[in-house]
Amino acid sequence: MIEAQGITVRLGGRETLHGIDFAAQPGQITAIVGPNGSGKTTFLRALTGELKHRGTVWLNGRATADIPVAELAGLRAVLPQSVRMAFPFTVSEVVRMGLRAGLSAGRDSLILPALDRVGATYLADRPYTDLSGGEQQRVQLARVLAQIWEPVVDDIPRWLFLDEPVSSLDPGHQFLVIRTVRDFAARGGGVIAVMHDLNLTAMMADRITVLKDGRVAANGTAQEVMTEPVLSRVYDCPLRPGRMPAQAMPFLLPQASPLEI
Amino acid sequence: MTAVTSDLAVPRDRRAGAWRLTGWLALALLAVGLASLTWGASDASPWVALAKLWQGEALTAVEKVVLLNIRLPRLAMSALVGAGLAMSGAILQGLFRNPLADPGIVGVTSGGTLGAIGAIVLGGLLPLALRETVGTSLVSVAAFVGAWFTTILLYRVATRDGQTSVPTMLLAGIALAALAMAMAGILVYMADDAQLRDLTFWSMGSMAGATWAKVATSLPILALALLASPLISHGLNGIALGEAAAMHMGVEVQKTKTLAVLWVAGATGVAVAVAGAIGFVGIVVPHLLRLASGPDHTPLLPNAALLGAILMISADMIARTIVAPAELPIGIVTAVLGAPVFLWILLRRRGLVGME
């Protein structure tokens, strides 16, 4: 499991995260949501060790600061919000880098299956630099999946850290990527995802951590967290979730009348 | 998760092609090397000399001097300098994540030049004993320090949070180069050594001063750099995705960056110390190779060394034969060949320098 205690981050002389405690279980998708500027991405970057921070992060019971980066790369993979590349590597070369970074160096036969998970096999020979934003995002997800292809190795779960994995995708690919990520969790891996869209979050996440102003504002399942009092307070606007009849899954529609806006 | 059907084509793998290219480049280097030994102002021929040696005949004095003491060290130095500059370009571009970073364009070469001139002019102020111990390597070491200092300064100015701003890098490079060359100019005019007054050597380079002693000083550093390049090629591939992404892929980013900067400073510094500032090799060679066989640094770095050597030997052949018996500075030849390629890269990929 992933545990974090007292994560505090200062950026540009200003404290942006104030002692966040957090936990995520393998076999589940834990989503991090919150308004713009609430510290979602900052928190993810602190969790993955990209940002200097106070507090400790434990990965499967070990403090991540004590794990060498090469070993860490075999335990978890990180998807940034967007990746611009300087040189025209082909899509399959990008995915191969992921294989090499994890425990799967030389297993080139996994390149196409990894691309298939994000619906991008047709891009395999294209230069990455020629792709659209959504295509690049899917290719990066394929690279990250390739890095930790098996969700569990020797009974040790491996982890996916995703920063807005579906925000630049069309609905069809959003659905495919969510299915892929759910499948990874269902097979025992752990997923921590920063999400923007609350409806997609409700559809995807087992647990949701809501951040506001660098603090945890709420924590729980979609049913527990996506309620009118919590959301209205966090997002500073009236938000009244509806329920999908079959699964009682909460959903939100813009509810203000045109006149109010 | 539809199953991958078996009739899907295997993705193109450019690695085998890149290594085949290594073989062809090695052959071409051999051919160009022989050609460079053959052509020159004197009509001494390596073939005649070889035939004589084969039959046990003695070489004439002219043949000995021209072949062994002029053309051969010149060939070796051209190859070393070309290999070093081309690989420096490829590594600098990988480090800055931009195909326009060239040691000459971003001021690294000028920093090395300032170091070399400083050592020559001010080295005389050192105590005699110290001067004799350091000897000729003082110039190389000073050029290395100058190049290293400039690279670090450039990186500090242009990079924030692992993101290099390309306009800042290019503009800072212009400023650094101008400053270094101005200071070098002051030193040159302070010096009474007539040879030093020849600023063209430092601004446009020449292989004319090639001696076995110079080859001997530059060979160990460039050989070490060549052998060390596999250590950083994997890291540079990771850095192509960004420094954070590279770290998450298990790359020791800081170590890679430190090694890369030392590498570039060492190779560029040595090249400047023995041959002066020669531009554009570092940008043209890696660019052509990326077009031919892809940007993977593992084959790119050794291939750049080979093509850089080929290009430099060819440029030197042109420089010393086209206006024979006089010589052109070799930097004029590389600029005539390289500057249009630089412009062509800009035309094809305008976005690279823009703010996007």
Side-chain angles (χ1 to χ4, degrees), chain A residues 48 50 69 73 76 78 83-84 86-88 90 93 96 100-101 108 112 116-117 125 140 143 147 179, chain B residues 1-2 4 9 11-15 93 97 234 237 240-241 244 247-250 252 290 295-296 356:
Chain A
T48 57
E50 237 173 82
V69 284
R76 60 130 164 85
V78 182
V83 174
R84 280 188 46 211
F87 304 110
T90 65
E93 284 166 350
R96 189 190 292 126
R100 166 151 191 188
D108 281 9
L112 286 176
D116 187 50
R117 295 275 165 105
D125 286 339
Q140 290 298 333
R143 165 181 71 82
Q147 187 177 336
R179 209 163 57 155
Chain B
M1 258 78 17
T2 49
V4 181
R12 201 153 54 95
D13 192 337
R14 293 191 280 188
R15 288 175 300 180
Q93 286 144 29
R97 307 182 63 216
H234 171 58
N237 282 342
L241 288 158
M247 181 189 91
H248 296 315
M249 287 166 53
E252 301 262 15
R290 278 192 212 100
D296 182 347
E356 290 190 62

Side-chain angles (χ1 to χ4, degrees), chain A residues 61-85:
Chain A
R62 294 165 65 193
T64 49
D66 300 337
I67 307 177
V69 284
E71 194 189 337
L72 214 46
L75 292 171
R76 60 130 164 85
V78 182
L79 176 78
Q81 241 174 59
S82 71
V83 174
R84 280 188 46 211
M85 287 189 80

Side-chain angles (χ1 to χ4, degrees), chain A residues 5-8 53-57:
Chain A
Q5 225 172 52
I7 301 299
T8 301
H53 57 85
R54 271 189 314 192
T56 315
V57 181

Side-chain angles (χ1 to χ4, degrees), chain A residues 73-77 99 102-105 107 109-110 117 144-160 183-185 187-190:
Chain A
L75 292 171
R76 60 130 164 85
L99 287 171
L103 304 171
S104 311
R107 291 172 66 188
S109 59
L110 292 179
R117 295 275 165 105
V144 166
L145 285 170
Q147 187 177 336
I148 48 169
W149 187 247
E150 281 88 20
V152 179
V153 173
D154 300 330
D155 289 331
I156 297 172
R158 300 162 98 193
W159 293 82
L160 273 178
D183 171 69
F184 182 83
R187 291 186 294 137

Side-chain angles (χ1 to χ4, degrees), chain B residues 16-190:
Chain B
W19 291 118
R20 261 201 308 282
L21 186 62
T22 313
W24 288 113
L25 288 172
L27 281 178
L29 177 60
L30 201 67
V32 171
L34 286 173
S36 132
L37 284 180
T38 308
W39 285 321
S42 151
D43 54 8
S45 151
W47 310 103
V48 175
L50 271 180
K52 278 187 182 174
L53 285 177
W54 183 253
Q55 288 158 2
E57 286 176 45
L59 299 180
T60 63
V62 173
E63 278 169 340
K64 267 191 192 163
V65 169
V66 169
L67 293 178
L68 295 182
N69 292 341
I70 297 179
R71 286 193 200 158
L72 206 54
R74 193 164 175 153
L75 167 67
M77 211 172 84
S78 305
L80 285 172
V81 167
L85 287 178
M87 278 177 95
S88 294
I91 291 175
L92 208 59
Q93 286 144 29
L95 183 70
F96 281 103
R97 307 182 63 216
N98 192 282
L100 295 180
D102 167 86
I105 291 164
V106 298
V108 176
T109 311
S110 306
T113 303
L114 176 60
I117 294 181
I120 296 171
V121 175
L122 305 175
L125 304 177
L126 288 177
L128 190 64
L130 184 64
R131 220 187 317 160
E132 276 175 356
T133 9
V134 216
T136 47
S137 55
L138 178 67
V139 178
S140 298
V141 172
F144 162 75
V145 172
W148 178 65
F149 185 73
T150 324
T151 315
I152 300 246
L153 199 63
L154 186 72
Y155 193 84
R156 285 279 156 81
V157 172
T159 307
R160 290 274 151 78
D161 297 326
Q163 294 293 319
T164 300
S165 151
V166 180
T168 312
M169 174 189 79
L170 294 174
L171 294 173
I174 292 172
L176 284 172
L179 187 63
M181 288 317 280
M183 285 159 74
I186 294 172
L187 285 174
V188 166
Y189 279 95
M190 274 167 55

Side-chain angles (χ1 to χ4, degrees), chain A residues 38-257:
Chain A
S38 58
K40 305 182 293 273
T41 294
T42 306
F43 180 56
L44 195 80
R45 291 179 66 199
L47 270 186
T48 57
E50 237 173 82
L51 279 185
K52 258 195 227 149
H53 57 85
R54 271 189 314 192
T56 315
V57 181
W58 290 273
L59 187 142
N60 299 335
R62 294 165 65 193
T64 49
D66 300 337
I67 307 177
V69 284
E71 194 189 337
L72 214 46
L75 292 171
R76 60 130 164 85
V78 182
L79 176 78
Q81 241 174 59
S82 71
V83 174
R84 280 188 46 211
M85 287 189 80
F87 304 110
F89 284 93
T90 65
V91 164
S92 54
E93 284 166 350
V94 172
V95 178
R96 189 190 292 126
M97 285 189 206
L99 287 171
R100 166 151 191 188
L103 304 171
S104 311
R107 291 172 66 188
D108 281 9
S109 59
L110 292 179
I111 292 176
L112 286 176
L115 286 170
D116 187 50
R117 295 275 165 105
V118 297
T121 45
Y122 69 100
L123 295 172
D125 286 339
R126 294 264 303 276
Y128 178 84
T129 38
D130 289 358
L131 307 183
S132 75
E135 287 171 332
Q136 292 191 345
Q137 183 74 339
R138 276 150 55 211
V139 169
Q140 290 298 333
L141 183 60
R143 165 181 71 82
V144 166
L145 285 170
Q147 187 177 336
I148 48 169
W149 187 247
E150 281 88 20
V152 179
V153 173
D154 300 330
D155 289 331
I156 297 172
R158 300 162 98 193
W159 293 82
L160 273 178
F161 290 78
L162 311 172
D163 193 354
E164 302 204 8
V166 294
S167 51
S168 48
L169 306 185
D170 58 67
H173 285 113
Q174 284 181 332
F175 189 74
L176 176 65
V177 163
I178 287 176
R179 209 163 57 155
T180 294
V181 172
R182 286 208 67 87
D183 171 69
F184 182 83
R187 291 186 294 137
V191 179
I192 296 172
V194 167
M195 293 291 289
H196 186 69
D197 185 302
L198 291 170
N199 287 316
L200 292 172
T201 307
M203 194 170 115
M204 177 174 104
D206 298 294
R207 311 246 346 146
I208 300 175
T209 294
V210 187
L211 298 185
K212 183 176 168 75
D213 299 333
R215 291 194 172 79
V216 176
N219 199 352
T221 62
Q223 279 79 6
E224 290 162 5
V225 168
M226 288 184 61
T227 59
E228 187 177 355
V230 172
L231 294 182
S232 302
R233 176 168 53 85
V234 167
Y235 286 91
D236 289 323
C237 71
L239 285 173
R240 197 177 321 123
R243 299 274 165 187
M244 303 252 279
Q247 310 98 324
M249 191 174 82
F251 71 91
L252 291 158
L253 287 174
Q255 289 177 359
S257 75

